Amino acid sequence: MPFTNGADGSVTMRDVARKARVSLASVSRVLSKHPDVSEAMQRRVLAAVKSLDFAPDFLAQSLRRGVTHTIGFLIGDISNPVYADVIRGAEDFARSKGYGMMLTNSEADPHLDAEHLRLFLQRRVDGIIVSTVESGSAEIARELLEQVVPYVVVDRDAPQGARVSTVFGDHASGTRAATAHLIGHGHESISLISGYEHLKPARERIRGFREAFEAAGLKPPEELIRRGSLTPEFGREETFRLLNQADRPSAIIAGNNRVLAGVVEGVHQTDFQVGVDLALVGYDNLDLARLYRPPISVVVRDQYRMGQIACELLIERLSDPEAPARSVTLPTHFVPRASSDFVWKGRRKRS
Amino acid sequence: MPFTNGADGSVTMRDVARKARVSLASVSRVLSKHPDVSEAMQRRVLAAVKSLDFAPDFLAQSLRRGVTHTIGFLIGDISNPVYADVIRGAEDFARSKGYGMMLTNSEADPHLDAEHLRLFLQRRVDGIIVSTVESGSAEIARELLEQVVPYVVVDRDAPQGARVSTVFGDHASGTRAATAHLIGHGHESISLISGYEHLKPARERIRGFREAFEAAGLKPPEELIRRGSLTPEFGREETFRLLNQADRPSAIIAGNNRVLAGVVEGVHQTDFQVGVDLALVGYDNLDLARLYRPPISVVVRDQYRMGQIACELLIERLSDPEAPARSVTLPTHFVPRASSDFVWKGRRKRS
């Protein structure tokens, strides 16, 4: 096997071997902490390493060993603050197992996802956590399926036929609970402003929404399910439109935290008051929801735990390439607050 | 120079050379897109590459070339949403120049900063953008000064004696404008809840705060400058303490967006009302400040531009290792809103 050859004049393992008067293989065994090395040999080699001020080339080493103890985390959109907790959970777990973690940010652009995947593979990560914004992007799926490194998918469908572990939030149950809470407080005309159904979380939210109506013996208001990209702009525009129509809804569920910011902005453009003549539910326990007056009810999930589990599933595969793919689903919970926790008695007369 | 030797049975450049019946150097020239290659040679080598299904080893290539076209971005704390824009600015610029970008997150832990720096160097990035939470951390500075790759520091002091480019926000001017606005609206008892002065932005904010008082012929209320770690907890506790003291301030400036969330929470624990009997100013134009009722006045800076410039300064150094270090300062602006834009007429009588 080739070692760094010191063409640039740097000290090489060969120099260390010469200095210690041992074989190159012995130096390699000592530096790679091989168990089958005598204490005397270890002292001899380390003395030579020290006297020559030899810095092992970790990247060259990992090329030889084929293992880098580095995990790549493909972030779909760093602008969404919920990612921060997923990343922290994954990093803490990785670190506890001796892995470093590098991130890339794709700004919700599937082409960048593919580019970043290539970047990770070129920089030789051992495995990848994939948390893209779009799923089913043909380009990403193809890239992934062609890869040799194990990967884990967070809150998105895995490409069909791929042996890949996944961690999901159970978005249906939280949305079902939120919808049931609104129905129980007298609402029938409830709007869900959420994402397109090719994204698993959006699909699951719509399912939970419908199930709550059906459980109450009511027909789900299909025309009040609004689908779009999960941006503040979409939330603002749909809210303004909904609240200005004759048969306006009395409650809105904003399908994620970015949409919620837009919905709040849209409400401010009308003369409706959250918690008085409009019930509001959002997602994720961020500053806006917690500190808005009235505080905004939310469906929450444990993002930190989600990151931990994603990393655990990945390292499971790294430790045992034959391990079967696993899928873990984490619960979501509804936290009622003043924005929706009032009894709806029908519309006030408005000018 | 050593090539990958295919010890794992993979196809190597040597195999390609044999198949194409050309020299190894010719294969290398074709694959590295050397200008001095005939079309015939190119066709011949690429045909062999195709027939052998040879995948060039990019990492081995970059080891030989010494250039990876990859930039590392050391993020101090990904939980602070303002980083997202800095990162986006840096990434967009990097991409426009043909560079990929990898990130690490240190969760405000200087030891992790040092570890991540090592990770980047092992993974062979060409240069690093450093946006740590703590500056002056001896460990980081030592790591940096020992390094051979160029780096740029964002909004922190560069280590003494280092030839390093920096990009700063002019935090003094925005804070001076905010403080002058409060003084102009009748406040004299103004509290600044901010960070420790070893951090440049905190130091600059305190300077701007004092200058506004001095410009108005007033003595800066030193006892109302509160220093601590820039967390919501610190903001909440200081606010609660300040508002419960006999000589309570009539206005609060929250030293960053995390502190602002805590200050708002602290105010909610009292019966004071923002925009009525307490003026409030925060930093950064995030959802909470924009959408709170009343909207909260803020000092803003162009984070995206800051990221762009950081990356520009870095690539400048990568293109010309002899280029002198440069320092760029970006303005900050005060945006008055209803939380502070009312005339203070002295304390109401309170129970």
Side-chain angles (χ1 to χ4, degrees), chain B residues 13 76 107 139 155-156 172 191 194 226 229 255 267 288 325 350:
Chain B
M13 282 173 66
E107 301 184 37
E139 190 172 1
D155 230 4
R156 291 289 180 271
S191 176
S194 187
R226 301 295 167 97
S229 61
V267 173
L288 177 65
R350 300 185 72 91

Side-chain angles (χ1 to χ4, degrees), chain A residues 163-185:
Chain A
R163 190 168 67 89
V164 56
S165 294
T166 48
V167 54
F168 293 116
D170 171 16
H171 299 282
S173 69
T175 307
R176 194 162 50 231
T179 310
H181 156 94
L182 291 170
I183 294 172
H185 283 69

Side-chain angles (χ1 to χ4, degrees), chain B residues 97 157 297 310-311:
Chain B
K97 299 293 177 187
D157 296 298
S297 306
C311 195

